[in-house]
Amino acid sequence: MPTLILVRHGRSTANTSAVLAGRTPGVALDERGLEQAAALPGRLADLPIAEVVTSPLQRCRETLQPLLDARPGLPVHTEDRINECDYGDWSGRKLAELTDEPLMQVVQAHPSAAAFPGGESMRTMQSRAAEAVREWNARVERDHGPDAVYLMCSHGDIIKSLVAEALGLHLDLFQRISVEPCSVTVIRYTRLRPFLVRLGDTGDFASLVPREEPPAGDATVGGDAGAR
């Protein structure tokens, strides 16, 4: 079965302003995110990518544009099932405002029970994304053979949930996984089991440098902003 490259979109204006963007329209890459996107073609230069699949949101399309410019004719498809989680009434709110919401504790410790007001549950998010991957695996293998490589550009919580699913981890453990903006995660699928080949690879260790203020113990809903 194919090898899937999962790329989280580059750093966005919502990441740097600590806003839970969700599906709010008009959220673009910031200056650092554009630099990350520009570097993506070089990072992936040796890979024979057969197809590209993207979330419909602007920040994913902007992340992919340099790669598509470097590879004219590379097929690209929009897939709604790898769209950002629908955070409903939480969308567009400052993360600091959400810290005291009782639901935030559930999102952190028991996400399989979390459903966002006016939005979707985290179980639904994982299920739709995993279903999309299974269907694209079959399609890519049919069209390009079992050794094909293809790429999906999506969002932090989506990618974390797909990694958890590939590893056989309960969704309640997915907050232990971290994927930074424009990081590359690779899952190789086989007939019997998937293999996690890369996780959150940016080629940059700046985010490991100790910070003046230690990071919080909770996961950032939607994914953190990475190195400053």
Side-chain angles (χ1 to χ4, degrees), residues 89-106:
D89 297 344
W90 280 25
S91 300
R93 292 180 62 186
K94 287 278 190 180
L95 289 167
E97 297 175 1
L98 298 171
T99 302
D100 295 330
E101 293 277 357
L103 178 61
M104 182 60 85
Q105 294 181 340
V106 182

Side-chain angles (χ1 to χ4, degrees), residues 135-202:
E135 291 185 12
W136 277 100
N137 281 347
R139 176 172 172 173
V140 170
E141 181 173 10
R142 180 197 67 202
D143 294 344
H144 303 282
D147 296 325
V149 176
Y150 76 108
L151 182 149
M152 281 186 169
C153 186
S154 188
H155 307 271
D157 280 350
I158 296 290
I159 294 173
K160 288 162 55 178
S161 74
L162 289 171
V163 169
E165 200 262 350
L167 292 176
L169 295 178
H170 197 282
L171 183 61
D172 286 346
L173 301 179
F174 100 121
Q175 297 288 28
R176 302 183 184 192
I177 298 167
S178 176
V179 290
E180 292 191 14
C182 222
S183 63
V184 173
T185 295
V186 182
I187 302 172
R188 179 174 295 130
Y189 289 87
T190 73
R191 185 172 64 87
L192 297 180
R193 64 182 65 85
F195 292 89
L196 181 64
V197 182
R198 294 284 190 279
L199 176 61
D201 189 342
T202 63

Side-chain angles (χ1 to χ4, degrees), residues 5-16 19-24 27-30 32-38 40 43 53-66 82-85 87 151-160 179-185 200-202 220-227:
I5 302 169
L6 289 161
V7 176
R8 185 183 169 198
H9 62 77
R11 198 173 74 176
S12 73
T13 53
N15 293 144
T16 46
V19 167
L20 184 61
R23 299 179 180 181
T24 305
V27 176
L29 298 185
D30 68 4
R32 172 61 177 154
L34 291 171
E35 292 173 356
Q36 292 170 330
L40 193 60
R43 293 168 62 196
V53 185
T54 181
S55 158
L57 295 186
Q58 177 180 342
R59 52 195 183 271
C60 286
R61 292 189 167 278
E62 289 180 348
T63 299
L64 288 175
Q65 195 57 57
I82 62 168
N83 198 350
E84 178 65 282
C85 184
Y87 297 116
L151 182 149
M152 281 186 169
C153 186
S154 188
H155 307 271
D157 280 350
I158 296 290
I159 294 173
K160 288 162 55 178
V179 290
E180 292 191 14
C182 222
S183 63
V184 173
T185 295
D201 189 342
T202 63
T220 302
V221 181
D224 62 29

